[in-house]
Amino acid sequence: GAGVSQSPSNKVTEKGKDVELRCDPISGHTALYWYRQSLGQGLEFLIYFQGNSAPDKSGLPSDRFSAERTGGSVSTLTIQRTQQEDSAVYLCASSRSGTSAPDTQYFGPGTRLTVL
Amino acid sequence: AQSVAQPEDQVNVAEGNPLTVKCTYSVSGNPYLFWYVQYPNRGLQFLLKYITGDNLVKGSYGFEAEFNKSQTSFHLKKPSALVSDSALYFCAVRDSGGFQKLVFGTGTRLLVSP
């Protein structure tokens, strides 16, 4: 079946602009994760959604970052007033349940964000 | 807090030779361990995972990994490397306490020469 998809694949923006990144998880997966991959910080967790529960936002680096998940499926990560240090590849992953079972997280191809 | 160490930035091996990519971990509870591979301009692809049971885990593309609790290691291995195995490899850990995020190592670049 289809894997995790993300759009856009590349995004170039100017400092101070807002951006929205989209993630479509694997159909039937209830858990969704956002990670960020950057040269200086490696792969870091941003936020986790599980079903209708309140998301775990513990990894969001600042209040300029927010995410939502509509209808338990598609998710949007929004970065307001982008800064150059936000430049990174943003990866989305989904897993079947994400609760007590050690589910495998399957990753999308990522969105490469460049802030000029 | 959970952590993962991949002590080698790069591993070089000749095609046909065995390869090992090292990973050590630290968690407060029982570990769930994962290996992912990343090809250029691609996302992460799942290779294998250890949850419980046999210490030797077999995964995709002929890769396997050995869980060693006493050494807190989970090294990735393959008996015979292929040039197409050249990529960036990430080890990740999750503890069994219900906290869902994966904590990743810094990655090891594997270069297989013909």
Side-chain angles (χ1 to χ4, degrees):
Chain A
V4 177
S5 61
Q6 294 185 245
S7 60
S9 55
N10 280 284
K11 176 71 176 178
V12 180
T13 190
E14 294 179 347
K15 178 182 173 181
K17 301 281 190 183
D18 298 351
V19 295
E20 286 189 351
L21 312 180
R22 176 188 168 103
C23 172
D24 280 275
I26 293 171
S27 178
H29 281 191
T30 62
L32 187 147
Y33 314 77
W34 284 96
Y35 293 85
R36 178 169 72 173
Q37 184 176 21
S38 57
L39 283 177
Q41 302 297 324
L43 265 161
E44 53 181 341
F45 166 80
L46 296 177
I47 188 169
Y48 156 64
F49 295 89
Q50 171 54 46
N52 295 320
S53 302
D56 174 358
K57 304 180 183 180
S58 60
L60 294 179
S62 79
D63 58 9
R64 295 186 295 104
F65 288 72
S66 63
E68 62 177 19
R69 189 178 184 192
T70 54
S73 181
V74 172
S75 176
T76 302
L77 177 68
T78 300
I79 308 174
Q80 294 179 309
R81 306 180 302 282
T82 52
Q83 302 295 312
Q84 289 182 331
E85 61 262 28
D86 299 335
S87 296
V89 176
Y90 290 81
L91 294 167
C92 176
S94 71
S95 67
R96 189 173 299 278
S97 76
T99 51
S100 58
D103 286 336
T104 298
Q105 295 180 25
Y106 294 94
F107 285 78
T111 293
R112 182 175 297 277
L113 175 66
T114 303
V115 182
L116 301 177
Chain B
Q2 309 150 82
S3 66
V4 173
Q6 292 182 245
E8 302 154 316
D9 290 336
Q10 182 162 312
V11 169
N12 298 305
V13 65
E15 187 174 33
N17 283 358
L19 69 88
T20 298
V21 183
K22 296 179 180 177
C23 171
T24 58
Y25 67 90
S26 174
V27 295
S28 55
N30 292 321
Y32 297 146
L33 293 154
F34 301 79
W35 276 102
Y36 287 85
V37 60
Q38 187 175 38
Y39 295 98
N41 300 314
R42 302 281 295 276
L44 300 177
Q45 287 182 236
F46 169 71
L47 280 179
L48 51 79
K49 67 181 178 184
Y50 171 83
I51 304 301
T52 186
D54 288 343
N55 291 339
L56 186 63
V57 179
K58 294 189 181 297
S60 306
Y61 313 120
F63 284 93
E64 58 190 27
E66 186 169 10
F67 172 68
N68 187 316
K69 187 173 184 178
S70 63
Q71 296 185 1
T72 62
S73 66
F74 189 56
H75 300 331
L76 181 70
K77 300 182 179 185
K78 187 174 182 181
S80 179
L82 300 172
V83 172
S84 57
D85 292 330
S86 298
L88 189 57
Y89 290 81
F90 289 95
C91 181
V93 68
R94 224 200 83 192
D95 70 30
S96 58
F99 191 48
Q100 302 301 321
K101 73 175 186 182
L102 288 176
V103 174
F104 286 88
T106 51
T108 298
R109 186 164 302 281
L110 174 65
L111 183 60
V112 182
S113 55

